[in-house]
Amino acid sequence: MGMSVTISAARAQDAEHILKLQYLCYQSEAELYGDYAIEPLTQSLDDLRTEIVEGHALVARLGDEVVASVRGRVEADGTARISKLIVHPRMQRHGLGGRLLDAIEDQFAGEPTAQRFQLFTGHRSEGNLRLYRSRGYVPVSREQIGPKLTLVTLEKEATASAYVASA
């Protein structure tokens, strides 16, 4: 008899768990790009707490354990910026990342100012790119960050995401 994963709003007391999970999850990205100074690996607990308070943050729990998270906020121009979608390595490739992405889009869809969803990932992060494209995101820009990393920004219109969770 297994436990179900539940998705809910992150609470203030989740910040430390999210930060530890973020550190674990971004190790593979750091290795892929040869850069262990990427922002998710250097973010402070205080900065994370601020992100949670100022925007939207969701966590996925397996029992009491935080096994995935995503954050974002709506900017003044109507762009809902989604960031730091992370899933514990042992929970990856089971649809949890997609469920979290759908859930945060649903949160933003409730805000009348959200006109589009936007996120970014590294050009070599094929799993991320595949997930985002499967959810209707299309590349809108590329930015060379360094000799080994190009950030790909992907976007979709908020109205195109009329996702209804099915049980």
Side-chain angles (χ1 to χ4, degrees):
M1 182 184 303
M3 286 189 267
S4 294
V5 173
T6 59
I7 297 174
S8 61
R11 302 181 305 240
Q13 60 266 36
D14 293 326
E16 194 170 331
H17 298 286
I18 294 169
L19 191 62
K20 288 177 183 177
L21 180 62
Q22 179 175 302
Y23 188 82
L24 173 67
C25 292
Y26 275 93
Q27 293 298 313
S28 59
E29 292 291 302
E31 184 176 345
L32 181 62
Y33 296 103
D35 183 359
Y36 287 85
I38 58 177
E39 190 270 342
L41 295 180
T42 61
Q43 184 176 30
S44 73
L45 185 56
D46 286 341
D47 285 346
L48 173 59
R49 286 184 176 129
T50 299
E51 280 185 15
I52 291 171
V53 169
E54 292 180 354
H56 293 278
L58 300 175
V59 293
R61 297 177 202 283
L62 182 61
D64 291 333
E65 181 186 6
V66 173
V67 294
S69 181
V70 64
R71 299 191 293 276
R73 60 187 291 162
V74 178
E75 302 290 334
D77 69 354
T79 302
R81 297 197 195 285
I82 298 169
S83 64
K84 298 183 180 97
L85 174 61
I86 54 174
V87 177
H88 193 289
R90 78 171 190 276
M91 302 292 292
Q92 292 176 1
R93 294 174 182 58
H94 297 287
L96 186 52
R99 284 180 57 200
L100 264 178
L101 187 55
D102 293 337
I104 195 128
E105 286 177 6
D106 286 346
Q107 290 253 321
F108 286 132
E111 291 195 24
T113 57
Q115 299 172 10
R116 75 194 64 74
F117 302 122
Q118 191 177 84
L119 41 74
F120 64 87
T121 191
H123 70 288
R124 285 190 248 160
S125 301
E126 287 301 323
N128 297 346
L129 290 165
R130 193 170 32 257
L131 170 64
Y132 302 149
R133 286 182 178 129
S134 78
R135 290 298 200 268
Y137 286 83
V138 294
V140 293
S141 69
R142 296 171 68 89
E143 179 184 358
Q144 185 81 33
I145 299 299
K148 298 180 182 180
L149 174 61
T150 298
L151 287 183
V152 179
T153 300
L154 299 100
E155 185 174 286
K156 76 176 180 181
E157 294 304 308
T159 56
S161 71
Y163 172 80
V164 178
S166 58

